[in-house]
Amino acid sequence: MLGEEMTTRRPMNSARDVSQSESTPRIPKDRRDDAIAIVGLGYTGLPLAVAFAEAGLRVEGIDTLRARIEEIRSGVSPIDDIDDARLRAALDLRLQVCVPADADLSSADVIFVCVPTPINAAKDPDLSLVLDAPLSSVGTMIFLDVSPGAKVT
């Protein structure tokens, strides 16, 4: 019965670290020194950065908007999906944020590029920022600064 499915809840494991959400990935201890860089701290990039920091990875979040970086550094989330307390906890863990000029991607094992893909009236995504990312100042920063063997997605 549909109503029963909706009210059935899995019992909470009291031994679990409550600071991690159900969606937080589990990172093996031997990978906790891996570094993640996330370019673009909007609706995709910021939740990704927070989740990786909660999982115990070092995260460098990069955004071209200095005002956004200052807002995040002050512990105020610019998006609804991440509340301020969760953002502050991630900043206290292993999340650092900066503008591209201050970024150091040389130690990043993986770099995520999270650029906007707005939709038009027909709900078609505008992929121009995705296609232009490698040629932008951020793309230049990535390809000049990235270490051999790093993955860029």
Side-chain angles (χ1 to χ4, degrees):
M1 179 181 265
L2 182 60
E4 290 175 21
E5 287 178 20
M6 293 179 69
T7 59
T8 303
R9 297 199 187 262
R10 186 172 51 160
M12 192 169 173
N13 180 353
S14 60
R16 182 174 66 89
D17 178 5
V18 294
S19 67
Q20 292 188 334
S21 69
E22 289 294 322
S23 61
T24 301
R26 305 279 187 239
I27 305 298
K29 289 185 190 221
D30 64 331
R31 299 307 306 251
R32 297 253 170 126
D33 286 333
D34 287 359
I36 305 291
I38 298 174
V39 179
L41 297 175
Y43 291 101
T44 301
L46 186 59
L48 192 60
V50 168
F52 280 127
E54 289 172 339
L57 293 170
R58 290 181 295 124
V59 181
E60 181 173 33
I62 304 157
D63 201 285
T64 57
L65 301 175
R66 188 170 295 279
R68 175 165 289 190
I69 292 299
E70 294 306 321
E71 183 177 26
I72 292 170
R73 280 184 182 157
S74 71
V76 177
S77 177
I79 63 170
D80 293 335
D81 292 339
I82 301 294
D83 64 44
D84 294 348
R86 187 172 175 207
L87 175 61
R88 284 190 297 273
L91 290 166
D92 288 342
L93 290 169
R94 303 189 83 187
L95 173 61
Q96 296 179 347
V97 296
C98 64
V99 293
D102 299 331
D104 176 17
L105 300 178
S106 62
S107 65
D109 296 294
V110 178
I111 302 167
F112 292 91
V113 179
C114 302
V115 295
T117 53
I119 57 172
N120 62 19
K123 303 217 186 264
D124 296 321
D126 175 0
L127 299 177
S128 63
L129 291 172
V130 174
L131 298 173
D132 292 342
L135 304 176
S136 70
S137 61
V138 171
T140 301
M141 171 197 66
I142 290 171
F143 293 108
L144 290 178
D145 218 11
V146 70
S147 61
K151 308 292 186 254
V152 179
T153 61

